[in-house]
Amino acid sequence: MTNALIVWGGWDGHEPDKVAAVFKAMLDDAGIRSQMSETLDVFDDAQALQTYDLIVPIWTDGTLSREAATNVSEAVARGTGLAGCHGGMCDAFRASPLWQFMTGANWVAHPGGDGVAYWVKIISVDPLVADIPDFDVRSEQYYLHVDQANKVLATTRTNTVAWYHTPNGPVDMPVAWTRSWGLGRVYYNALGHQADIIASGPAHEMLRRGLLWAAAGKKLAAGQDLAQFQSPGNHW
């Protein structure tokens, strides 16, 4: 049976308990068994992490030790999927460069705060977004520092709200993407400031597909040699 680990907590403003419930329901419907954890201590067990098909972090503005970040990184590199949304994944551990490298971005701002009206544009023909139309959102519009290696699925045009960054001009900011980490699959979606944003509609469907896609990578990684991605020395 496919097994997932949902780790939730951190800043209460992102409703981590409610977001965790949304994700668990998605996985339940797909026949994936989920273990729920309200503590980051589960990241201290390197061997246990490698037994999961999927890790779902929902933990904004936390602190993760170098060892715990390495444990998650090694599990994902060996095929465990990593998938999540909004600040629960790409604003989870601001002091961990390894976490930011693995997830593909780091949050830096949401000009205008909550309640900003903006448009999400699907820019890929990937099955993860196939037949999902462009859609509007009223929520936080995330401004992220993003890895250019990400395979972007959807974007949003910035400068919806004027702020100090406005003189630099608008940019097409990635909203959702996939990437690889060793043998593992990584999926991120910037939507999900609160649970109602991802509880239904296009955002819900994007995340549902993303979670299942990331979880499916574990079986594909079986039997592959991780050494093909490694070279001597400390890389971070």
Side-chain angles (χ1 to χ4, degrees), residues 144-213:
L144 300 134
H145 286 173
V146 182
D147 190 334
Q148 294 298 304
N150 295 340
K151 296 179 180 178
V152 180
L153 303 170
T155 63
T156 183
R157 194 73 165 165
T158 65
N159 281 8
T160 302
V161 175
W163 199 46
Y164 298 147
H165 71 300
T166 303
N168 298 309
V171 298
D172 292 319
M173 181 61 57
V175 169
W177 62 78
T178 64
R179 60 188 282 110
S180 297
W181 189 255
L183 298 172
R185 293 177 168 186
V186 178
Y187 174 87
Y188 175 73
N189 193 309
L191 303 174
H193 173 57
Q194 292 183 324
D196 64 313
I197 300 297
I198 60 169
S200 61
H204 181 277
E205 179 61 15
M206 289 172 71
L207 276 160
R208 186 192 69 82
R209 295 184 194 181
L211 264 65
L212 301 187
W213 172 84

Side-chain angles (χ1 to χ4, degrees), residues 9-222:
W11 184 56
D12 288 338
H14 278 160
E15 300 181 339
D17 54 340
K18 294 179 181 178
V19 172
V22 172
F23 283 145
K24 185 177 186 302
M26 292 179 183
L27 297 174
D28 286 348
D29 288 345
I32 296 176
R33 180 171 55 196
S34 300
Q35 176 183 333
M36 308 283 279
S37 175
E38 298 176 49
T39 172
L40 296 175
D41 291 349
V42 291
F43 288 161
D44 293 332
D45 192 335
Q47 291 187 335
L49 290 176
Q50 294 180 27
T51 66
Y52 291 103
D53 298 274
L54 177 67
I55 296 172
V56 182
I58 309 169
W59 200 290
T60 302
D61 195 16
T63 300
L64 194 66
S65 70
R66 182 185 180 99
E67 292 75 18
T70 299
N71 291 342
V72 179
S73 169
E74 291 300 310
V76 176
R78 285 163 172 75
T80 297
L82 183 71
C85 74
H86 202 63
M89 182 160 154
C90 280
D91 190 28
F93 309 112
R94 298 175 186 176
S96 176
L98 178 60
W99 185 269
Q100 295 167 26
F101 198 4
M102 178 173 57
T103 58
N106 188 46
W107 171 85
V108 292
H110 43 64
D114 195 10
V116 172
Y118 61 96
W119 192 251
V120 174
K121 181 175 179 60
I122 305 299
I123 65 165
S124 173
V125 295
D126 191 287
L128 288 173
V129 289
D131 302 319
I132 295 177
D134 300 345
F135 58 99
D136 61 340
V137 177
R138 184 173 292 275
S139 183
E140 290 182 342
Q141 186 185 41
Y142 259 20
Y143 203 105
L144 300 134
H145 286 173
V146 182
D147 190 334
Q148 294 298 304
N150 295 340
K151 296 179 180 178
V152 180
L153 303 170
T155 63
T156 183
R157 194 73 165 165
T158 65
N159 281 8
T160 302
V161 175
W163 199 46
Y164 298 147
H165 71 300
T166 303
N168 298 309
V171 298
D172 292 319
M173 181 61 57
V175 169
W177 62 78
T178 64
R179 60 188 282 110
S180 297
W181 189 255
L183 298 172
R185 293 177 168 186
V186 178
Y187 174 87
Y188 175 73
N189 193 309
L191 303 174
H193 173 57
Q194 292 183 324
D196 64 313
I197 300 297
I198 60 169
S200 61
H204 181 277
E205 179 61 15
M206 289 172 71
L207 276 160
R208 186 192 69 82
R209 295 184 194 181
L211 264 65
L212 301 187
W213 172 84
K218 185 67 174 286
K219 291 182 174 63
L220 298 176

Side-chain angles (χ1 to χ4, degrees), residues 216-233:
K218 185 67 174 286
K219 291 182 174 63
L220 298 176
Q224 295 193 55
D225 185 4
L226 185 62
Q228 63 184 299
F229 303 115
Q230 296 173 321
S231 59

